[in-house]
Amino acid sequence: MMNVSRRDLFKAGALAGTGALLGGAGPRLLTLAAQRVTQDPGAAAYALAQPENILYGVCLQCNTQCTVKVKSQDGVLVKIDGSAYSPMNMQPHLAYGTPPGAAASVDGSICSKGQA
């Protein structure tokens, strides 16, 4: 008689389910990984992360006056994030000497009042 606990049965079921799920998607995942490696690493896939689509400003919703990074698309402001250059929005701090092209892909945090 086998001595299988309930926990061992759940572990085996989770392992079998994960294997079945990833087994069908394995070749597709390998193809996507190969495509990502062969793409130009300098190409920005996210259009809002390009430096020409970003404006830096200040949120005046409270007395803290956090710096914000506003992303625009076709002349319309579509997303507000905290500025990566602000020590209040980033931990650890981003160096002030970081060029805007490199800082464009880094988003700082901002409170819900600033998002509103």
Side-chain angles (χ1 to χ4, degrees), residues 1-89:
M1 183 167 193
M2 290 182 54
N3 197 3
V4 178
S5 68
R6 183 176 178 191
R7 175 176 273 198
D8 292 335
L9 184 65
F10 279 127
K11 285 181 186 178
L15 183 65
T18 303
L21 180 68
L22 293 179
R28 182 171 179 257
L29 291 175
L30 290 174
T31 304
L32 288 174
Q35 287 175 352
R36 178 168 284 201
V37 170
T38 58
Q39 287 179 351
D40 180 21
Y46 184 52
L48 296 179
Q50 295 175 352
E52 60 269 13
N53 294 334
I54 296 176
L55 298 171
Y56 291 94
V58 178
C59 173
L60 299 174
Q61 294 291 330
C62 64
N63 62 351
T64 309
Q65 286 133 9
C66 296
T67 56
V68 294
K69 177 169 68 170
V70 182
K71 299 176 182 179
S72 65
Q73 184 176 25
D74 298 327
V76 177
L77 303 179
V78 293
K79 180 139 176 56
I80 299 173
D81 289 315
S83 173
Y85 291 111
S86 174
M88 293 190 307
N89 297 339

Side-chain angles (χ1 to χ4, degrees), residues 92-116:
H93 308 313
L94 187 65
Y96 284 119
T98 306
S105 61
V106 180
D107 293 334
S109 62
I110 191 168
C111 70
S112 58
K113 194 183 281 189
Q115 284 287 345

